[in-house]
Amino acid sequence: MATAAEATTDANAMRRAITLAARGLGSTSPNPVVGCVVLDAAGQPAGAGFHQRAGGPHAEVHALREAGERARGGTAYVTLEPCNHTGRTGPCAQALVAAGVARVVYAVADPNPQATGGAGTLRAAGVQVEQGLLVDEARAGNIAWLTSVRLGRPYVRWKYAATLDGRIAAADSTSRWISSAESRADVHRLRAEADAVIVGSGTMRADDPHLAVRGAGTTEAVTQPLRVVVDTNATAVKPGARVLDDAAPTLVAVAEDADAAHLDGTAAEVVRLPRAAGGLDVHALLAALHTRGVRSVLLEGGPTLAGAFVAAGAVHAVTGYLAPVLLGAGPAALADAGITTLTEALRLDVTETVRVGPDLRITAVPATPVPKET
């Protein structure tokens, strides 16, 4: 059994690996974010790394390169089970064996059937393997990818900004700016961590948004998210729209019978999807994004689009920026979501509350039903 000092060393190393993994958010899809820390045989830091971009070296490879010969007889701490397959890079389990690592501690088992099995390969080679250290923290940092693997569609975070009385605009439709400059900067961080940002036709007409990431507060080069506009009737995105510039790729989703000829020759990709009540089929949209490598979505659309996503059961997290402002009238943050009575309300569990400038950022996830006793 590990001593208290050894347990502390293990936890500190894994926590550092989790922090490193987060640096890859937004740039690794369709791969997960992964961090790795290597300690030498004496328990001293020898190497560290994270998966930076899809197609590039995995976290273990970066860490082992930095560690060099000091990895031999040491311990590797990895946030996700080392992969066991050859894709654009080689299997990390074999790289750890070749480096002479004596022990591997990983947090989360790999649910991807194409990559799983790394733990078995390591054990077969005589490497001591342990699973589950800080598993909840590591899972939370990789929740988008893990969710997309489980469901076969992207993880969706709905973000909105509102007054304390739940208004996203005044009665005369003015909305700039309800939230603070600090909150708006924080939204760019969320964009930088997402693979795609989605708005609807109402937002396009009202704001002509740009949707690219600016000043995300990171030293790594930002991978711009895919800008997605849900424009059912192909009437909101017009030549000259800001989303049609070259700052980031753009996809315009329209109905199968919509006339989108005016988008021919623009930089945008047009995808045609089946109609649903009041708009496009949300699940068809998410499936189309998933096939394009999108694993995480930031939903920035207005109340109508948000209502469609909530009604479809497609929202996995909600992040609201609440400003200390009262309006008393104006549109609410969420429109019709198919909820007609209180018993149908979507109950949420608050996972975080943070002051951002003068505002309050609240993050919540749908409450997990309590299993009935049998």
PDB file of all heavy atoms in Angstrom, residues 156-185:
ATOM      1  N   VAL A 156     -22.997  19.673 -26.188  1.00  0.00           N
ATOM      2  CA  VAL A 156     -23.518  21.025 -26.427  1.00  0.00           C
ATOM      3  C   VAL A 156     -23.571  21.809 -25.125  1.00  0.00           C
ATOM      4  O   VAL A 156     -24.184  21.378 -24.143  1.00  0.00           O
ATOM      5  CB  VAL A 156     -24.932  20.971 -27.046  1.00  0.00           C
ATOM      6  CG1 VAL A 156     -25.488  22.380 -27.225  1.00  0.00           C
ATOM      7  CG2 VAL A 156     -24.892  20.244 -28.391  1.00  0.00           C
ATOM      8  N   ARG A 157     -22.931  22.965 -25.132  1.00  0.00           N
ATOM      9  CA  ARG A 157     -23.031  23.913 -24.027  1.00  0.00           C
ATOM     10  C   ARG A 157     -23.805  25.140 -24.522  1.00  0.00           C
ATOM     11  O   ARG A 157     -23.394  25.793 -25.477  1.00  0.00           O
ATOM     12  CB  ARG A 157     -21.643  24.354 -23.552  1.00  0.00           C
ATOM     13  CG  ARG A 157     -21.680  25.390 -22.399  1.00  0.00           C
ATOM     14  CD  ARG A 157     -20.286  25.848 -22.015  1.00  0.00           C
ATOM     15  NE  ARG A 157     -19.466  24.737 -21.586  1.00  0.00           N
ATOM     16  CZ  ARG A 157     -19.479  24.240 -20.360  1.00  0.00           C
ATOM     17  NH1 ARG A 157     -20.275  24.769 -19.433  1.00  0.00           N
ATOM     18  NH2 ARG A 157     -18.700  23.219 -20.041  1.00  0.00           N
ATOM     19  N   TRP A 158     -24.943  25.419 -23.877  1.00  0.00           N
ATOM     20  CA  TRP A 158     -25.709  26.621 -24.222  1.00  0.00           C
ATOM     21  C   TRP A 158     -25.231  27.763 -23.344  1.00  0.00           C
ATOM     22  O   TRP A 158     -25.232  27.679 -22.124  1.00  0.00           O
ATOM     23  CB  TRP A 158     -27.210  26.387 -24.013  1.00  0.00           C
ATOM     24  CG  TRP A 158     -28.043  27.637 -24.112  1.00  0.00           C
ATOM     25  CD1 TRP A 158     -27.900  28.650 -25.007  1.00  0.00           C
ATOM     26  CD2 TRP A 158     -29.143  27.995 -23.273  1.00  0.00           C
ATOM     27  NE1 TRP A 158     -28.836  29.617 -24.787  1.00  0.00           N
ATOM     28  CE2 TRP A 158     -29.612  29.246 -23.728  1.00  0.00           C
ATOM     29  CE3 TRP A 158     -29.773  27.374 -22.190  1.00  0.00           C
ATOM     30  CZ2 TRP A 158     -30.689  29.898 -23.119  1.00  0.00           C
ATOM     31  CZ3 TRP A 158     -30.845  28.017 -21.594  1.00  0.00           C
ATOM     32  CH2 TRP A 158     -31.299  29.261 -22.059  1.00  0.00           C
ATOM     33  N   LYS A 159     -24.829  28.834 -24.005  1.00  0.00           N
ATOM     34  CA  LYS A 159     -24.352  30.023 -23.306  1.00  0.00           C
ATOM     35  C   LYS A 159     -25.282  31.188 -23.593  1.00  0.00           C
ATOM     36  O   LYS A 159     -25.718  31.396 -24.728  1.00  0.00           O
ATOM     37  CB  LYS A 159     -22.917  30.339 -23.745  1.00  0.00           C
ATOM     38  CG  LYS A 159     -22.449  31.752 -23.454  1.00  0.00           C
ATOM     39  CD  LYS A 159     -22.523  32.630 -24.694  1.00  0.00           C
ATOM     40  CE  LYS A 159     -22.827  34.058 -24.376  1.00  0.00           C
ATOM     41  NZ  LYS A 159     -23.094  34.866 -25.598  1.00  0.00           N
ATOM     42  N   TYR A 160     -25.617  31.951 -22.561  1.00  0.00           N
ATOM     43  CA  TYR A 160     -26.426  33.148 -22.765  1.00  0.00           C
ATOM     44  C   TYR A 160     -26.018  34.205 -21.746  1.00  0.00           C
ATOM     45  O   TYR A 160     -25.364  33.916 -20.736  1.00  0.00           O
ATOM     46  CB  TYR A 160     -27.919  32.832 -22.629  1.00  0.00           C
ATOM     47  CG  TYR A 160     -28.360  32.521 -21.214  1.00  0.00           C
ATOM     48  CD1 TYR A 160     -28.869  33.514 -20.380  1.00  0.00           C
ATOM     49  CD2 TYR A 160     -28.263  31.224 -20.718  1.00  0.00           C
ATOM     50  CE1 TYR A 160     -29.254  33.217 -19.085  1.00  0.00           C
ATOM     51  CE2 TYR A 160     -28.646  30.934 -19.422  1.00  0.00           C
ATOM     52  CZ  TYR A 160     -29.143  31.929 -18.606  1.00  0.00           C
ATOM     53  OH  TYR A 160     -29.513  31.646 -17.316  1.00  0.00           O
ATOM     54  N   ALA A 161     -26.389  35.437 -22.006  1.00  0.00           N
ATOM     55  CA  ALA A 161     -26.178  36.541 -21.071  1.00  0.00           C
ATOM     56  C   ALA A 161     -27.535  37.199 -20.836  1.00  0.00           C
ATOM     57  O   ALA A 161     -28.293  37.432 -21.784  1.00  0.00           O
ATOM     58  CB  ALA A 161     -25.183  37.557 -21.631  1.00  0.00           C
ATOM     59  N   ALA A 162     -27.845  37.483 -19.584  1.00  0.00           N
ATOM     60  CA  ALA A 162     -29.160  38.035 -19.253  1.00  0.00           C
ATOM     61  C   ALA A 162     -29.073  38.924 -18.027  1.00  0.00           C
ATOM     62  O   ALA A 162     -28.086  38.921 -17.283  1.00  0.00           O
ATOM     63  CB  ALA A 162     -30.156  36.895 -18.999  1.00  0.00           C
ATOM     64  N   THR A 163     -30.132  39.678 -17.836  1.00  0.00           N
ATOM     65  CA  THR A 163     -30.280  40.470 -16.627  1.00  0.00           C
ATOM     66  C   THR A 163     -30.703  39.552 -15.472  1.00  0.00           C
ATOM     67  O   THR A 163     -31.039  38.392 -15.686  1.00  0.00           O
ATOM     68  CB  THR A 163     -31.340  41.557 -16.821  1.00  0.00           C
ATOM     69  OG1 THR A 163     -32.607  40.901 -17.064  1.00  0.00           O
ATOM     70  CG2 THR A 163     -31.013  42.456 -18.001  1.00  0.00           C
ATOM     71  N   LEU A 164     -30.732  40.102 -14.276  1.00  0.00           N
ATOM     72  CA  LEU A 164     -31.152  39.288 -13.140  1.00  0.00           C
ATOM     73  C   LEU A 164     -32.605  38.846 -13.259  1.00  0.00           C
ATOM     74  O   LEU A 164     -33.008  37.842 -12.667  1.00  0.00           O
ATOM     75  CB  LEU A 164     -30.953  40.054 -11.826  1.00  0.00           C
ATOM     76  CG  LEU A 164     -29.521  40.082 -11.274  1.00  0.00           C
ATOM     77  CD1 LEU A 164     -29.504  40.794  -9.928  1.00  0.00           C
ATOM     78  CD2 LEU A 164     -28.953  38.683 -11.129  1.00  0.00           C
ATOM     79  N   ASP A 165     -33.404  39.597 -14.008  1.00  0.00           N
ATOM     80  CA  ASP A 165     -34.790  39.174 -14.212  1.00  0.00           C
ATOM     81  C   ASP A 165     -34.962  38.389 -15.515  1.00  0.00           C
ATOM     82  O   ASP A 165     -36.071  38.237 -16.027  1.00  0.00           O
ATOM     83  CB  ASP A 165     -35.765  40.349 -14.136  1.00  0.00           C
ATOM     84  CG  ASP A 165     -35.424  41.479 -15.101  1.00  0.00           C
ATOM     85  OD1 ASP A 165     -34.287  41.512 -15.602  1.00  0.00           O
ATOM     86  OD2 ASP A 165     -36.297  42.330 -15.348  1.00  0.00           O
ATOM     87  N   GLY A 166     -33.860  37.866 -16.046  1.00  0.00           N
ATOM     88  CA  GLY A 166     -33.924  36.911 -17.140  1.00  0.00           C
ATOM     89  C   GLY A 166     -34.131  37.474 -18.522  1.00  0.00           C
ATOM     90  O   GLY A 166     -34.467  36.732 -19.448  1.00  0.00           O
ATOM     91  N   ARG A 167     -33.892  38.764 -18.722  1.00  0.00           N
ATOM     92  CA  ARG A 167     -34.087  39.369 -20.048  1.00  0.00           C
ATOM     93  C   ARG A 167     -32.769  39.422 -20.816  1.00  0.00           C
ATOM     94  O   ARG A 167     -31.724  39.758 -20.255  1.00  0.00           O
ATOM     95  CB  ARG A 167     -34.641  40.789 -19.910  1.00  0.00           C
ATOM     96  CG  ARG A 167     -35.894  40.887 -19.039  1.00  0.00           C
ATOM     97  CD  ARG A 167     -37.047  40.120 -19.628  1.00  0.00           C
ATOM     98  NE  ARG A 167     -38.238  40.161 -18.771  1.00  0.00           N
ATOM     99  CZ  ARG A 167     -39.402  39.622 -19.094  1.00  0.00           C
ATOM    100  NH1 ARG A 167     -39.537  39.004 -20.256  1.00  0.00           N
ATOM    101  NH2 ARG A 167     -40.425  39.679 -18.261  1.00  0.00           N
ATOM    102  N   ILE A 168     -32.841  39.120 -22.104  1.00  0.00           N
ATOM    103  CA  ILE A 168     -31.639  39.183 -22.934  1.00  0.00           C
ATOM    104  C   ILE A 168     -31.596  40.443 -23.789  1.00  0.00           C
ATOM    105  O   ILE A 168     -30.618  40.690 -24.484  1.00  0.00           O
ATOM    106  CB  ILE A 168     -31.528  37.950 -23.842  1.00  0.00           C
ATOM    107  CG1 ILE A 168     -32.720  37.862 -24.797  1.00  0.00           C
ATOM    108  CG2 ILE A 168     -31.402  36.692 -23.008  1.00  0.00           C
ATOM    109  CD1 ILE A 168     -32.522  36.863 -25.910  1.00  0.00           C
ATOM    110  N   ALA A 169     -32.660  41.237 -23.726  1.00  0.00           N
ATOM    111  CA  ALA A 169     -32.728  42.505 -24.445  1.00  0.00           C
ATOM    112  C   ALA A 169     -33.849  43.330 -23.830  1.00  0.00           C
ATOM    113  O   ALA A 169     -34.707  42.808 -23.108  1.00  0.00           O
ATOM    114  CB  ALA A 169     -32.982  42.288 -25.941  1.00  0.00           C
ATOM    115  N   ALA A 170     -33.824  44.622 -24.127  1.00  0.00           N
ATOM    116  CA  ALA A 170     -34.878  45.513 -23.641  1.00  0.00           C
ATOM    117  C   ALA A 170     -36.109  45.397 -24.539  1.00  0.00           C
ATOM    118  O   ALA A 170     -36.086  44.736 -25.581  1.00  0.00           O
ATOM    119  CB  ALA A 170     -34.374  46.946 -23.602  1.00  0.00           C
ATOM    120  N   ALA A 171     -37.162  46.054 -24.140  1.00  0.00           N
ATOM    121  CA  ALA A 171     -38.410  45.994 -24.907  1.00  0.00           C
ATOM    122  C   ALA A 171     -38.239  46.552 -26.316  1.00  0.00           C
ATOM    123  O   ALA A 171     -38.957  46.163 -27.237  1.00  0.00           O
ATOM    124  CB  ALA A 171     -39.511  46.754 -24.171  1.00  0.00           C
ATOM    125  N   ASP A 172     -37.276  47.473 -26.495  1.00  0.00           N
ATOM    126  CA  ASP A 172     -37.041  48.034 -27.834  1.00  0.00           C
ATOM    127  C   ASP A 172     -35.990  47.242 -28.614  1.00  0.00           C
ATOM    128  O   ASP A 172     -35.489  47.703 -29.642  1.00  0.00           O
ATOM    129  CB  ASP A 172     -36.615  49.498 -27.724  1.00  0.00           C
ATOM    130  CG  ASP A 172     -35.270  49.667 -27.025  1.00  0.00           C
ATOM    131  OD1 ASP A 172     -34.714  48.656 -26.535  1.00  0.00           O
ATOM    132  OD2 ASP A 172     -34.781  50.817 -26.941  1.00  0.00           O
ATOM    133  N   SER A 173     -35.633  46.063 -28.092  1.00  0.00           N
ATOM    134  CA  SER A 173     -34.704  45.125 -28.728  1.00  0.00           C
ATOM    135  C   SER A 173     -33.232  45.471 -28.535  1.00  0.00           C
ATOM    136  O   SER A 173     -32.357  44.740 -29.028  1.00  0.00           O
ATOM    137  CB  SER A 173     -34.983  44.968 -30.235  1.00  0.00           C
ATOM    138  OG  SER A 173     -36.281  44.433 -30.423  1.00  0.00           O
ATOM    139  N   THR A 174     -32.906  46.562 -27.849  1.00  0.00           N
ATOM    140  CA  THR A 174     -31.500  46.857 -27.589  1.00  0.00           C
ATOM    141  C   THR A 174     -30.939  45.846 -26.588  1.00  0.00           C
ATOM    142  O   THR A 174     -31.588  45.492 -25.608  1.00  0.00           O
ATOM    143  CB  THR A 174     -31.320  48.283 -27.033  1.00  0.00           C
ATOM    144  OG1 THR A 174     -32.139  48.441 -25.869  1.00  0.00           O
ATOM    145  CG2 THR A 174     -31.713  49.320 -28.068  1.00  0.00           C
ATOM    146  N   SER A 175     -29.721  45.381 -26.867  1.00  0.00           N
ATOM    147  CA  SER A 175     -29.121  44.358 -26.002  1.00  0.00           C
ATOM    148  C   SER A 175     -27.644  44.583 -25.736  1.00  0.00           C
ATOM    149  O   SER A 175     -27.047  43.846 -24.945  1.00  0.00           O
ATOM    150  CB  SER A 175     -29.301  42.970 -26.634  1.00  0.00           C
ATOM    151  OG  SER A 175     -28.663  42.900 -27.891  1.00  0.00           O
ATOM    152  N   ARG A 176     -27.040  45.557 -26.380  1.00  0.00           N
ATOM    153  CA  ARG A 176     -25.606  45.798 -26.191  1.00  0.00           C
ATOM    154  C   ARG A 176     -25.382  46.974 -25.252  1.00  0.00           C
ATOM    155  O   ARG A 176     -25.801  48.089 -25.570  1.00  0.00           O
ATOM    156  CB  ARG A 176     -24.936  46.060 -27.530  1.00  0.00           C
ATOM    157  CG  ARG A 176     -24.978  44.836 -28.454  1.00  0.00           C
ATOM    158  CD  ARG A 176     -24.110  45.034 -29.671  1.00  0.00           C
ATOM    159  NE  ARG A 176     -24.097  43.830 -30.501  1.00  0.00           N
ATOM    160  CZ  ARG A 176     -23.356  43.698 -31.598  1.00  0.00           C
ATOM    161  NH1 ARG A 176     -22.585  44.689 -32.002  1.00  0.00           N
ATOM    162  NH2 ARG A 176     -23.388  42.579 -32.288  1.00  0.00           N
ATOM    163  N   TRP A 177     -24.746  46.756 -24.120  1.00  0.00           N
ATOM    164  CA  TRP A 177     -24.286  45.446 -23.671  1.00  0.00           C
ATOM    165  C   TRP A 177     -24.926  45.142 -22.333  1.00  0.00           C
ATOM    166  O   TRP A 177     -24.805  45.944 -21.385  1.00  0.00           O
ATOM    167  CB  TRP A 177     -22.761  45.411 -23.543  1.00  0.00           C
ATOM    168  CG  TRP A 177     -22.058  45.523 -24.861  1.00  0.00           C
ATOM    169  CD1 TRP A 177     -21.433  46.604 -25.356  1.00  0.00           C
ATOM    170  CD2 TRP A 177     -21.878  44.472 -25.839  1.00  0.00           C
ATOM    171  NE1 TRP A 177     -20.875  46.315 -26.583  1.00  0.00           N
ATOM    172  CE2 TRP A 177     -21.130  45.007 -26.896  1.00  0.00           C
ATOM    173  CE3 TRP A 177     -22.278  43.144 -25.905  1.00  0.00           C
ATOM    174  CZ2 TRP A 177     -20.776  44.243 -28.019  1.00  0.00           C
ATOM    175  CZ3 TRP A 177     -21.921  42.404 -27.019  1.00  0.00           C
ATOM    176  CH2 TRP A 177     -21.173  42.946 -28.058  1.00  0.00           C
ATOM    177  N   ILE A 178     -25.586  44.019 -22.218  1.00  0.00           N
ATOM    178  CA  ILE A 178     -26.136  43.601 -20.937  1.00  0.00           C
ATOM    179  C   ILE A 178     -25.022  43.088 -20.035  1.00  0.00           C
ATOM    180  O   ILE A 178     -24.926  43.470 -18.872  1.00  0.00           O
ATOM    181  CB  ILE A 178     -27.216  42.516 -21.140  1.00  0.00           C
ATOM    182  CG1 ILE A 178     -28.504  43.165 -21.654  1.00  0.00           C
ATOM    183  CG2 ILE A 178     -27.482  41.752 -19.845  1.00  0.00           C
ATOM    184  CD1 ILE A 178     -29.601  42.181 -21.964  1.00  0.00           C
ATOM    185  N   SER A 179     -24.171  42.261 -20.547  1.00  0.00           N
ATOM    186  CA  SER A 179     -23.073  41.718 -19.746  1.00  0.00           C
ATOM    187  C   SER A 179     -21.856  42.630 -19.829  1.00  0.00           C
ATOM    188  O   SER A 179     -21.754  43.503 -20.700  1.00  0.00           O
ATOM    189  CB  SER A 179     -22.711  40.305 -20.212  1.00  0.00           C
ATOM    190  OG  SER A 179     -22.296  40.325 -21.568  1.00  0.00           O
ATOM    191  N   SER A 180     -20.916  42.409 -18.930  1.00  0.00           N
ATOM    192  CA  SER A 180     -19.731  43.255 -18.829  1.00  0.00           C
ATOM    193  C   SER A 180     -18.667  42.870 -19.849  1.00  0.00           C
ATOM    194  O   SER A 180     -18.726  41.800 -20.469  1.00  0.00           O
ATOM    195  CB  SER A 180     -19.143  43.122 -17.427  1.00  0.00           C
ATOM    196  OG  SER A 180     -18.670  41.791 -17.221  1.00  0.00           O
ATOM    197  N   ALA A 181     -17.667  43.743 -19.985  1.00  0.00           N
ATOM    198  CA  ALA A 181     -16.540  43.456 -20.866  1.00  0.00           C
ATOM    199  C   ALA A 181     -15.811  42.196 -20.399  1.00  0.00           C
ATOM    200  O   ALA A 181     -15.337  41.399 -21.214  1.00  0.00           O
ATOM    201  CB  ALA A 181     -15.583  44.640 -20.900  1.00  0.00           C
ATOM    202  N   GLU A 182     -15.745  41.999 -19.082  1.00  0.00           N
ATOM    203  CA  GLU A 182     -15.083  40.804 -18.560  1.00  0.00           C
ATOM    204  C   GLU A 182     -15.835  39.537 -18.967  1.00  0.00           C
ATOM    205  O   GLU A 182     -15.222  38.530 -19.328  1.00  0.00           O
ATOM    206  CB  GLU A 182     -14.978  40.879 -17.035  1.00  0.00           C
ATOM    207  CG  GLU A 182     -14.054  41.964 -16.519  1.00  0.00           C
ATOM    208  CD  GLU A 182     -14.772  43.291 -16.288  1.00  0.00           C
ATOM    209  OE1 GLU A 182     -15.870  43.486 -16.858  1.00  0.00           O
ATOM    210  OE2 GLU A 182     -14.232  44.126 -15.546  1.00  0.00           O
ATOM    211  N   SER A 183     -17.153  39.583 -18.922  1.00  0.00           N
ATOM    212  CA  SER A 183     -17.936  38.421 -19.326  1.00  0.00           C
ATOM    213  C   SER A 183     -17.784  38.155 -20.815  1.00  0.00           C
ATOM    214  O   SER A 183     -17.671  36.994 -21.246  1.00  0.00           O
ATOM    215  CB  SER A 183     -19.414  38.624 -18.985  1.00  0.00           C
ATOM    216  OG  SER A 183     -19.629  38.552 -17.600  1.00  0.00           O
ATOM    217  N   ARG A 184     -17.770  39.201 -21.603  1.00  0.00           N
ATOM    218  CA  ARG A 184     -17.626  39.017 -23.047  1.00  0.00           C
ATOM    219  C   ARG A 184     -16.260  38.423 -23.384  1.00  0.00           C
ATOM    220  O   ARG A 184     -16.139  37.590 -24.289  1.00  0.00           O
ATOM    221  CB  ARG A 184     -17.858  40.335 -23.780  1.00  0.00           C
ATOM    222  CG  ARG A 184     -19.260  40.893 -23.570  1.00  0.00           C
ATOM    223  CD  ARG A 184     -19.604  41.980 -24.556  1.00  0.00           C
ATOM    224  NE  ARG A 184     -18.758  43.153 -24.455  1.00  0.00           N
ATOM    225  CZ  ARG A 184     -18.943  44.157 -23.613  1.00  0.00           C
ATOM    226  NH1 ARG A 184     -19.962  44.098 -22.746  1.00  0.00           N
ATOM    227  NH2 ARG A 184     -18.148  45.206 -23.596  1.00  0.00           N
ATOM    228  N   ALA A 185     -15.232  38.816 -22.644  1.00  0.00           N
ATOM    229  CA  ALA A 185     -13.912  38.207 -22.844  1.00  0.00           C
ATOM    230  C   ALA A 185     -13.932  36.741 -22.450  1.00  0.00           C
ATOM    231  O   ALA A 185     -13.303  35.899 -23.104  1.00  0.00           O
ATOM    232  CB  ALA A 185     -12.864  38.965 -22.036  1.00  0.00           C
TER     233      ALA A 185
END
